[in-house]
Amino acid sequence: MTFRSFAIAQAEMHILRRNRWLFMATLIMVLFALALTFAGSAPTGTLGVDMLTISVASMTTLSVYLAPLLALMMSFDSISGENDRGSLALLLSYPAGRGEILFGKFMAHLAALSFAMVVGFGTAGALAAYYGGAGSESLIALGRLIATSVLLGAVFLVLGYMVSSLAGSATAAAGASAALWLVFVVLYDLGLLGAVVIDKGGAFTQNIFPWVMVANPADAFRVWNIAASDTVALTSGMTGAASALPVWAAPASLLLWPVLGFVMARAAFQRVEP
């Protein structure tokens, strides 16, 4: 994009700081990451792994719920909220295309989300390494967790823009975003579980289920972090599904979703009239 996108991003970052969103997102990540790190450190002696490995496994579970939620909370009123406040017409009067405006918002929100992830997971990981030790693989796993959490957040940022563009008001966008989070993070897996139970180990379970699962960005995030680390996989129950897929499947899904989501969000934004 152009310099105009960076100008939009700078303005959005100012709004995030003014509304305390950057502070609140970082605080939430730090508190939850620390709580899970020290509450889940008991299995370290039983499993024979360092505390950071257990911490990364716990934070993976945290991130799959919290990263999408924080992303949607940042993005759900980006378009509909501006329209409700009457500022969208002014924004569209600037010499910037709608794609540039959307990308500027995306850069600011992704930067804020990335800061929260790095500080939250980094603080918890540093304390876990200090008190319980850390090997090279667990340090790599922590870095991968932070990077993939940012990618997962990016997916739900662009999905939030799409919902915000399609909704008639900020209130409707908030409800639609909550439903979106519920479907992707909770109901999708429940539906797959029901299908597996009905299939009873048949063709769906053996051949189709792993691919349908990794098509969901939340599950792709889990599989990527599990498949890439044997020690993290030791503490997870998803090793079977992860081993049934090629190593590129989960990364491809999580990398393609932000691009696909941005294209859909831009198409929806094109139809918005202030």
Side-chain angles (χ1 to χ4, degrees):
M1 291 294 176
T2 65
F3 175 78
R4 292 185 288 268
S5 293
F6 288 97
I8 297 293
Q10 186 177 14
E12 285 293 324
M13 186 60 72
H14 176 72
I15 293 172
L16 288 173
R17 289 198 301 266
R18 184 187 65 195
N19 294 340
R20 303 291 189 270
W21 253 117
L22 184 61
F23 171 75
M24 290 304 300
T26 305
L27 180 63
I28 288 170
M29 289 304 305
V30 169
L31 292 178
F32 275 92
L34 287 175
L36 276 182
T37 293
F38 289 102
S41 61
T44 53
T46 304
L47 295 176
V49 294
D50 57 63
M51 187 175 174
L52 182 57
T53 296
I54 300 297
S55 176
V56 168
S58 299
M59 290 189 291
T60 299
T61 302
L62 169 68
S63 189
V64 81
Y65 291 99
L66 203 52
L69 184 61
L70 288 175
L72 288 170
M73 290 175 69
M74 286 184 183
S75 62
F76 81 90
D77 70 338
S78 294
I79 309 301
S80 57
E82 297 251 19
N83 210 0
D84 286 351
R85 293 186 292 270
S87 57
L88 183 61
L90 176 62
L91 183 62
L92 293 176
S93 70
Y94 294 161
R98 296 198 180 202
E100 291 174 316
I101 292 172
L102 204 61
F103 190 69
K105 289 177 175 287
F106 175 73
M107 284 194 293
H109 292 153
L110 188 63
L113 198 63
S114 300
F115 181 82
M117 297 293 176
V118 170
V119 174
F121 291 145
T123 300
L127 287 175
Y130 178 78
Y131 286 106
S136 58
E137 185 178 351
S138 57
L139 290 172
I140 293 171
L142 177 62
R144 181 172 51 247
L145 170 64
I146 294 172
T148 52
S149 295
V150 172
L151 270 176
L152 183 62
V155 173
F156 283 88
L157 281 175
V158 292
L159 292 179
Y161 301 144
M162 182 185 69
V163 167
S164 188
S165 299
L166 295 174
S169 66
T171 303
S177 296
L180 190 72
W181 180 87
L182 193 64
V183 168
F184 274 91
V185 177
V186 180
L187 297 182
Y188 191 93
D189 286 346
L190 289 178
L192 285 182
L193 179 61
V196 168
V197 170
I198 293 172
D199 186 56
K200 297 180 180 179
F204 174 82
T205 304
Q206 298 297 324
N207 303 317
I208 301 175
F209 165 72
W211 291 99
V212 175
M213 183 185 68
V214 84
N216 179 4
D219 287 327
F221 166 82
R222 288 193 187 103
V223 171
W224 190 351
N225 282 280
I226 290 166
S229 175
D230 292 336
T231 53
V232 173
L234 185 65
T235 65
S236 171
M238 296 183 67
T239 51
S243 62
L245 291 165
V247 294
W248 53 262
S253 176
L254 204 55
L255 289 168
L256 285 174
W257 261 105
V259 179
L260 178 62
F262 187 85
V263 170
M264 294 189 295
R266 188 179 186 280
F269 188 28
Q270 287 293 127
R271 304 179 63 180
V272 175
E273 294 296 334

